[in-house]
Amino acid sequence: MPINKVNYQSALQDFNEARLKASLQEALARLTGKSNELLSYDEVSQKLKLRVQADRGIHEIPIKAIVGSVGRYTDFTRTFMPRRHGDQERWARVKAVMDDPVGAGMEPIEVYKVGEAYFVLDGNHRVSIARQEGFEFIEAHIIEVKTDVPVTPDLQPDDLIIKAEYADFLEKTDIRSLFP
């Protein structure tokens, strides 16, 4: 599909604004000591001993509940602002297609749902653009992954240590079978 050059130029400018936001967020994170990192789904899966998956279909999800990514967790900030200048062309192309009035619009992203939090399997750039545009919700194909450990969107990387210990405790004591 050909890209509208005006949309593409506008998208490049939007990317630069998003990169500036990312830089400011990273500076603020250093000052406050609060992590600005997306969570790695693989790390969360390993530490929380995630198990059975269930396809939940396509639904709108709150963008603020998206806290991590399956493979691109180092490419974006916690608010999905792009960290790498090398993503400029891809980000701008996706945005230009999304902005095209005769285009197909935005396809649903694919996510893993763990507790109340979501991890992007496919659609990191779409999430980034939706955040930049101020969207509150995004359409997503949801694959729910069960865990006995409570997971909320405010989960921080440091919290994983305690959550992993809790998952180990549940597994070793088999307390869930005694007290369902």
Side-chain angles (χ1 to χ4, degrees), residues 1 96-108 139:
M1 171 182 212
V97 169
M98 285 173 56
D99 288 347
D100 190 345
V102 294
M106 184 168 40
E107 290 184 27
E139 200 170 67

Side-chain angles (χ1 to χ4, degrees), residues 60-129:
E60 280 197 343
I61 63 170
I63 289 181
K64 288 185 178 181
I66 302 173
V67 300
S69 177
V70 173
R72 310 278 313 260
Y73 61 94
T74 60
D75 295 351
F76 299 92
T77 65
R78 181 67 176 230
T79 59
F80 271 88
M81 293 299 109
R83 283 192 156 135
R84 299 176 337 124
H85 185 72
D87 280 340
Q88 179 180 21
E89 185 178 329
R90 170 114 171 95
W91 197 97
R93 284 183 174 281
V94 171
K95 177 136 184 8
V97 169
M98 285 173 56
D99 288 347
D100 190 345
V102 294
M106 184 168 40
E107 290 184 27
I109 63 171
E110 290 185 40
V111 295
Y112 287 131
K113 180 180 184 197
V114 180
E116 298 172 31
Y118 297 90
F119 296 80
V120 179
L121 180 60
D122 180 51
N124 292 285
H125 290 87
R126 285 172 276 169
V127 172
S128 179
I129 292 161

Side-chain angles (χ1 to χ4, degrees):
M1 171 182 212
I3 293 178
N4 179 313
K5 290 187 190 270
V6 174
N7 285 355
Y8 184 73
Q9 290 302 318
S10 175
L12 287 173
Q13 187 174 4
D14 290 344
F15 175 83
N16 291 329
E17 289 174 17
R19 283 275 299 125
L20 179 60
K21 283 181 186 176
S23 297
L24 293 172
Q25 289 172 356
E26 288 184 1
L28 186 61
R30 282 190 205 103
L31 290 173
T32 62
K34 188 174 178 185
S35 176
N36 192 34
E37 305 291 319
L38 277 177
L39 298 173
S40 162
Y41 174 79
D42 292 332
E43 183 180 2
V44 170
S45 177
Q46 177 190 18
K47 288 187 176 183
L48 302 188
K49 303 177 186 336
L50 300 182
R51 50 189 191 340
V52 182
Q53 297 181 2
D55 190 324
R56 297 295 179 216
I58 297 175
H59 302 279
E60 280 197 343
I61 63 170
I63 289 181
K64 288 185 178 181
I66 302 173
V67 300
S69 177
V70 173
R72 310 278 313 260
Y73 61 94
T74 60
D75 295 351
F76 299 92
T77 65
R78 181 67 176 230
T79 59
F80 271 88
M81 293 299 109
R83 283 192 156 135
R84 299 176 337 124
H85 185 72
D87 280 340
Q88 179 180 21
E89 185 178 329
R90 170 114 171 95
W91 197 97
R93 284 183 174 281
V94 171
K95 177 136 184 8
V97 169
M98 285 173 56
D99 288 347
D100 190 345
V102 294
M106 184 168 40
E107 290 184 27
I109 63 171
E110 290 185 40
V111 295
Y112 287 131
K113 180 180 184 197
V114 180
E116 298 172 31
Y118 297 90
F119 296 80
V120 179
L121 180 60
D122 180 51
N124 292 285
H125 290 87
R126 285 172 276 169
V127 172
S128 179
I129 292 161
R131 286 295 294 249
Q132 172 73 357
E133 294 293 311
F135 293 9
E136 291 187 31
F137 295 91
I138 191 167
E139 200 170 67
H141 177 236
I142 302 168
I143 300 166
E144 187 172 12
V145 184
K146 298 287 185 186
T147 179
D148 291 326
V149 179
V151 177
T152 59
D154 61 350
L155 180 68
Q156 293 291 314
D158 292 343
D159 298 337
L160 280 178
I161 298 167
I162 294 168
K163 299 275 186 189
E165 289 175 358
Y166 183 55
D168 285 341
F169 168 78
L170 292 174
E171 183 179 66
K172 288 177 182 170
T173 62
D174 198 26
I175 201 165
R176 290 284 187 203
S177 66
L178 299 172
F179 302 99

